[in-house]
Amino acid sequence: MTLLPATARQIDTQVAQAQIDGRTPSLVLGVVRDGTLVHLAAAGEHPRPDADLQYRLGSISKTMTATLIMQLRDAGRLALDDPLERHLPGTAVGSLTLRQLLGHASGLQREPEGDWWERSAGADLARLLDGLNADKIAYPPHTAYHYSNLAYGLLGGLLERLTGMPWADLLDERVFGPLGMRRTTYAATAPYARGYVVHPWHDTLREEPRTDTGAMAPAGQLWSTIEDLARWAAFLADPDPSVLAAGTLTEMCAPVVISDPDSWTGGHGLGLELYRDGERVYVGHGGSMPGYVAALTVHRPTRTAVVSFANSYGFPITRLSRRLLTTVLDVEPPRPQPWQPVTAEPAAELTGRWWWMGTPLDLSWDAGDLVAHVRGERVSRFTAEGPDRWRGRSGPENGEILSVLRDDSGRAAAVDIATFVFTRSPDEAP
């Protein structure tokens, strides 16, 4: 699969212009569809980028830290509403829950004490914890959205305490290895791009240090390539169940907090940023470390994503990536899947129209599920759990029970959805 030539030219032109306007030494961007890197656009010569050149991920590392936490939750090792104190005792902020820390709803201040951690030699976990006191909680949890790098340093410490393994080793074993992300590493591994700050007046380059951030590594340490970040985007669109259950990833994409309550165009889930663009919602994360910026933007319903890197601090890469993802979806919407006839035996006696208080409910059969349409708008999907018992799996009735009520002859006379009884005729009382 590739992009249409006209779409590819449009992407290439916008990337080339963005590199000029943003004065970045190099810029590389990839388009991902259905699990495959289908287009690579590159601009700049310092160095000339390609799909295997490493750049720094920055805070995109947080999405991987969050994935490790969710793996442990699914394994029963922790609960999201556990206080931090239960797994990482003695922090002075132990009342904060893992959910609050993952979703930047804890009220915890943004940075650890000391020098700017992104550009300094990293401290170990003991030193990070020594710098904590109760004043680091700026306000009560869920008062407002407040981004916290410190929160992810603490989550990384929790992972190491709970598993007995270093955070980087956990990622290699449980995420990067299974997903084939062999060029995603803790430290820069050649070939890699050097990172710069571009002087605002005379366009000279100042190379930035490639720091080991120590205990803050789970917030932003990692290095990767366009090829590997494309693999990560594909995973976020359609997860490998051997790494994380699909339902768990969907849970990570649900908002914990809205980041701009005046316009509702952004929010934060469990380790993932959420962006609204018109009627679409994208998930992903931005990243920056001294000398580098990165962006990961995924539209899960169409399994389409844009991933990108630049090696100059301050380049507006997230805005570019979101705009180009919207361009791809507008110009090349995914091809509709063909209709297929039913092969499994349908629950025919339940299909058709039912009524409750003058409101129509239409039940149809699709791929072994009952699909419910209320007033032709609110759509829920039900999966069989046993004889005459179905559980909602999506839509407004997600989690609710649909029970089939039968008369003395065994005929399906009504369906009960969460105590709302629908009958075949609008004249029958519920």
Side-chain angles (χ1 to χ4, degrees), residues 13-24 27 315-316 320 323:
T13 299
Q14 292 197 46
V15 167
Q17 191 61 54
Q19 187 266 341
I20 296 167
D21 295 343
R23 300 159 57 248
T24 184
L27 171 62
F315 179 81
L320 172 68
R323 185 176 76 241

Side-chain angles (χ1 to χ4, degrees), residues 116-131:
W116 181 27
W117 67 272
E118 295 180 13
R119 209 173 183 271
S120 307
D124 61 15
L125 181 60
R127 246 180 93 192
L128 177 69
L129 299 184
D130 284 345

Side-chain angles (χ1 to χ4, degrees), residues 57-71 102 104 147 152 155 159 167 171 175-176 179 181 184 217-220 222 229 232-233 235-236 243-244 249 252 268-275 283-287 295-298:
L57 281 175
S59 287
I60 295 174
S61 305
K62 292 180 174 73
T63 68
M64 300 156 182
T65 300
T67 297
L68 293 175
I69 293 286
M70 299 307 288
Q71 287 177 338
L102 285 166
H104 301 288
Y147 191 86
Y152 276 77
L155 289 169
L159 286 164
W167 168 80
L171 284 173
V175 178
F176 301 153
L179 296 180
M181 296 171 63
T184 303
L222 296 172
L229 193 53
W232 185 243
F235 169 78
L236 294 181
V243 175
L244 199 67
L249 188 46
M252 293 174 70
H268 215 289
L270 297 169
L272 292 168
E273 292 177 340
L274 314 173
Y275 321 109
V283 304
H285 217 288
L296 164 70
T297 315
V298 182

Side-chain angles (χ1 to χ4, degrees), residues 392-409:
R393 296 300 183 192
S394 67
E397 305 302 336
N398 193 4
E400 302 292 349
I401 300 298
L402 183 154
S403 300
V404 181
L405 307 180
R406 298 186 178 276
D407 61 19
D408 292 341
S409 68

